[in-house]
Structure formats: C-alpha cells, structure tokens
Amino acid sequence: MEYIIKNGIVYDPINGVNGEKMDICVKDGKIVEKVSEDAKVIDASNCVVMAGGIEIHSHLAGPKVNTGRMMRPEDSIKEIYAKKGLRCGTGFSIPSTFKTGYQYCELGYTFALEAAMPPLKARHVHEEFLFTPQIDVAALPLFGNNWIVFKYIMEKDYKALAAYVAWMLKATKGYGIKIVNPGGTEAWGWGTNVHSLDDPVPGFDITPKEIVKGLGMVNELLGLPHSIHVHPNDLGHPGNYEVTIETMKLLEDVKAKPKIGERWSSYHNTHIQFHAYGGTSWKDFESKALEIIDYVNKSKHVTIDVGQVTLDETTTMTADGPMEYDLYMMTKFKWANCDVELETGSGVVPFIYSRKNPVHSVQWAIGLEVLLYTDTDKVILTTDHPNAGPFTRYPRILAWLLSKEYREDWLYNKVHKWARERTALPDADKEYDMYEVAKITRANQAIALGLSESMGHLGVGANADIAIYEIDPEEKNGKKIEKAFRYAKYVLKDGEVIVKDGEIVKEKFYRTFYLDVQVDESLMNEVLKDVEEMFKRYYTINFENYVVTEEYANNWKPIKIDATNL
C-alpha cells in the first residue's frame, strides 16, 4: 500500500524538521522519498504531523496490573469502552488489555514499554501483550533485588553478572535493566527498607550504591540499547531529592557504549516527580525540583521521565513494596502485597489525588516544573501510568505545557495555594511549541531506547508510524488542545491507516521487542551452573519451566547484540 500525506505541518526533531509544510510518502510500511501516481492521498492541510508516539514508562501488563484490575471493580465500571467492530473494555486507571491498546492508538502512540516485569512472572506479561492490539510492545525485567545479581556484585564478578543479565533478557524476552528501590524490596521481605545508598541489604553484604553502579557498568559492558532504568530509593518521601541526586552521580564516570542506536545517557531516572521532594514531613513538604533540574541540565549522562500527577483517582502499583505499605498506612485504602521469590516484590494501593489537597497540588506542580525548566532533550513525558494518573491524560498535560493561560487557570483557580507557595511554577513563563512536544513524546524516547533508526522520526527508511493531529500549531485554547491530542485525526502503523477521524478503523496486533544478547559460550555455561543451583535450592518451579517460549507473542522482534568479547 502506498500513501502520500500532503500539506501537513511536520515536526520531526531527530531530523531537524520544525514546522515545515511538506509531504510524507509511505510505501510497504516504510517512509520513502516518493511514491507512484496511484498512491492514496491523505490531506493533512492545517494539521500537525509527527511520528507515532512512544511510551517509555508505563505499567500496562502483568501480574500487578491484573491484581489492580481484580481488586478494583469500582475502577472497571468507571469507564466502559464499547465501539462497533472492536472488543469491549473497561477500566479508567487500569484499563483491560484491548482498551489499553485502543486508547494508546487513539492518542497517536504506536509503541509502549512495560516498565517493571518480574522475571518469574514474565509469561503473564507476555500473555497480556498477546491481547494488546494496535501498538508494538516491550518489557523491562527487574534486576535490582535479585539474589543472583547480589551474588555476582558481592564477588565483583561483573563478567559473570553480564552473562546472567544476557541470559535473563533472553529467557524473559526482556528489553533492558530495570532497578526499583535497589535492595529495598529485598529488605521488605524482612519487614524493613533501605533509605540511603549506603544502607546494608539484610542478609547480603551489599548496598544500594553497589547495586546501581554494578548494573550500570554491566549495561555498558554488554552495550545494551537502553541505559539502566532506575527508580531510586526513598520514592515518595519528603527530603528524598538528596538520595536522587546521589544516585544519578553514581554513573557520572560510566560512559554510554550502546552497540546499536544513538543513546548518549548511561542513566535514566524514571518518574522524577516522585523523587524531587524537600522537607522533613508532609507539614513542611516542598518542591526541590529545581535542584534536581540543575543537576540534570549540567550533566551529560542523565535522562529523566516525569511521572506527572494528573489529579485523578487512580491506582498505584510498583515493585517498591515498602513504599506501597507506607501508602496503605497513610490512606487505609485497599492494599495488595506480593513477594516474588528471589527476584522482586510489589504492592498495589488505590489513590485519590485531590485538587484541594495541599500535598497533591505541590506534586502536580513539581511535574510541571520538571517539564518547563529541564532541557527538552533530556526530559520525557510520562505519568508513570497509572501511578500518578492514567496515560489518557497526556493531552491535558500537553495543554498545560502549550498554553500558559490554561496552566495558570489551574494553578490559581483549581489547585491548593501550596502549589504557588512551595514551588517555582508561578515563575515559569515558558510555553512549549510543537517541536518540543514531538521531542518529549517520541524523539527523546526513540533515542533513549536505541530505536531511533526505525522509530520516533519521519525520515526516509523509518517505520511508517505516523500521527496526524487536527490542530493549529499556535493554538492556545486548552480544551481544543486536549481534544486534538486525545483523538488523532489519522494514525498510520507500519504504513496502514488504523485510525481515521479519531476512530479505530482497523484492529491489528504487532511486535514484541526483546534483546538477544550473545556472550562467550564458556562464560555462559559457568553462569548457568550457578543459576541452576539457585533453582534447585530456592525456586518453586523447575529451571526448564522458567523461560518464555516462542508461543508467547504474536510476532517476536529480537534485537541481536554481540557481546562475546566482554
């Protein structure tokens, strides 16, 4: 199939295209220089054209997401999705699988990353991917509380650790190294936590500092396309900004060495809003976003995503088990807790972010501070879906960024005065333009994930994943901005029209990306002896039943990496 998208206003930061009126040609699923006279014409006059959006951090599939769905029928009945020709779905903050794919697609997104996959539960994640249409998907296995990781770091055997990471990525069909509350979730198995980088992990002669630094070094030893993806210690606690900056500093001297892609960062800090808190309690709670931003803007090794609070009722879920217990003790809402053998744990707690609540209003303002003051080459839009709010609120966040008037209506008329008194948001004069929107919703993600050869841009040779929005680039009416970005006028995936006039016109299932990292065979064999011994001693399943097998995807997309010369 051939298409020519005519007269669109194109924003493509990777190729330096900033609002040029130009045509985009599509053939056989790729963007090409020209097409035949028989190509179908899509009229994009007075529309903004961008590459398909990329989600770098979301919780959209797997056991904790499903736990949230089961424990919250009130969320399921809150929003029903029923459209002719499509599968019905439910859920506002934790939508069902089909609804998740449909709604990402309606937003113009064509790829989403599940940010916390328990390795032992990887089959569950991939089973849910099987029923998530319209988007490419991938998942990050959790490594920051894994006993075998601890063993090799204590022994300072980083080559063995690298081989174990390579094996785990292939076994779970994972895309990179995720670290959550390093050492803290393991401590939670003993009813405690870690709060600083130098706190010892119970039962192990190891600290969070060694975990982060060790996995960061191994990530570059293997040359993975994405940097380590870190949720630091002490999430959500007043005063935690100091440990956040200290954690970032651990990778200052670790140079990015991806074997594919153009990633320049060795450290990605996720949902930074939850890690930018000052004060000693909720009474003197205040933003320390500017301190974080100052460090990020000066550093050459850090990228961040936001975790923007959207002031909704939502469902929190994370592998940071002790944090979820703290949240339960504060709210007395429902609470689920799980420990995943030698690997990780998780918690799930419903939560209501209120516009009238002083703390929640400061959290809302912190996310916007991060977006407005950080170098736009280093920051990425997320809500840590669903923790700070559902991903379907991205259009509202973009309206806050594109329209100062709309943002200030919320700041001065809808949220608590603490947002004005305890943050620097009132001093933010910046308004985003569409070029910057394209950066924080697709270009930066593609670069950070090592996918910029084929995704996140509209250059010749890229996948024909394209979003067209019916909006004037200079629009300042917040409601109009929200509407335009909530329902794309067109979405093309692999060169096929799957959304037209905001409606899904074709349901299709796409690829599951994972890393196939090759290391020295003799080294791998030695490491597998250790792994099999751990299975015999501790695991409740057999080693042979652990690996995710071929039938767990609609279409696997392995990315091969040669790391045989460690």
Side-chain angles (χ1 to χ4, degrees), residues 72-90:
R72 294 212 62 205
E74 69 276 17
D75 185 80
S76 293
I77 64 172
K78 188 175 179 181
E79 187 174 284
I80 309 297
Y81 191 99
K83 296 188 178 183
K84 186 177 180 180
L86 301 176
R87 288 284 294 267
C88 291
T90 64

Side-chain angles (χ1 to χ4, degrees), residues 22-202:
M22 58 190 296
D23 298 341
I24 303 293
C25 296
V26 173
K27 182 179 180 179
D28 298 331
K30 298 288 185 179
I31 295 174
V32 296
E33 289 186 0
K34 60 182 180 179
V35 289
S36 70
E37 294 180 358
D38 297 327
K40 290 187 177 182
V41 175
I42 295 176
D43 184 7
S45 298
N46 303 314
C47 293
V48 165
V49 181
M50 299 180 180
I54 298 174
E55 172 68 90
I56 200 172
H57 186 99
S58 179
H59 303 286
L60 69 149
K64 66 181 178 301
V65 179
N66 211 40
T67 297
R69 294 183 184 121
M70 289 189 293
M71 71 186 283
R72 294 212 62 205
E74 69 276 17
D75 185 80
S76 293
I77 64 172
K78 188 175 179 181
E79 187 174 284
I80 309 297
Y81 191 99
K83 296 188 178 183
K84 186 177 180 180
L86 301 176
R87 288 284 294 267
C88 291
T90 64
F92 172 66
S93 67
I94 31 176
S96 53
T97 56
F98 279 87
K99 186 171 183 282
T100 297
Y102 296 152
Q103 290 190 310
Y104 266 119
C105 180
E106 290 170 349
L107 294 172
Y109 275 66
T110 53
F111 178 97
L113 182 71
E114 162 55 48
M117 178 168 67
L120 185 61
K121 307 289 186 179
R123 292 189 180 199
H124 188 155
V125 173
H126 290 290
E127 283 175 331
E128 295 202 358
F129 282 167
L130 280 167
F131 300 99
T132 304
Q134 311 302 99
I135 55 174
D136 291 322
V137 290
L140 297 178
L142 291 151
F143 286 93
N145 291 277
N146 182 299
W147 287 19
I148 302 175
V149 170
F150 290 176
K151 164 184 162 60
Y152 290 134
I153 291 177
M154 287 190 295
E155 295 171 354
K156 295 184 171 28
D157 191 344
Y158 298 111
K159 288 189 177 181
L161 177 58
Y164 174 67
V165 168
W167 175 79
M168 182 68 85
L169 289 171
K170 189 170 183 178
T172 64
K173 301 296 189 288
Y175 193 78
I177 295 175
K178 176 65 181 295
I179 304 170
V180 172
N181 189 14
T185 302
E186 171 58 29
W188 182 236
W190 305 95
T192 185
N193 196 3
V194 298
H195 296 285
S196 82
L197 288 170
D198 295 309
D199 283 359
V201 179

Side-chain angles (χ1 to χ4, degrees), residues 504-520:
I504 293 171
V505 294
K506 184 169 187 176
E507 179 187 277
K508 193 168 180 179
F509 295 86
Y510 293 96
R511 296 168 287 264
T512 301
F513 285 67
Y514 75 93
L515 302 185
D516 182 358
V517 185
Q518 302 298 317
V519 299
D520 178 77

Side-chain angles (χ1 to χ4, degrees), residues 236-240 273-288 357-364 366 418 421-423:
H237 295 117
N240 66 6
Q273 177 273 135
F274 287 115
H275 304 276
Y277 297 168
T280 59
S281 71
W282 297 119
K283 290 182 179 180
D284 62 357
F285 174 68
E286 63 179 345
S287 171
K288 286 294 184 179
N357 184 290
V359 170
H360 303 166
S361 296
V362 173
Q363 291 176 299
W364 169 82
I366 289 172
W418 274 21
E421 296 172 351
R422 301 192 181 197
T423 78

Side-chain angles (χ1 to χ4, degrees), residues 526-543:
E526 288 300 311
V527 166
L528 287 180
K529 291 178 184 177
D530 292 338
V531 175
E532 291 187 39
E533 180 61 28
M534 284 291 204
F535 269 82
K536 290 176 184 177
R537 294 183 63 187
Y538 298 113
Y539 275 94
T540 60
I541 70 167
N542 292 328
F543 178 77

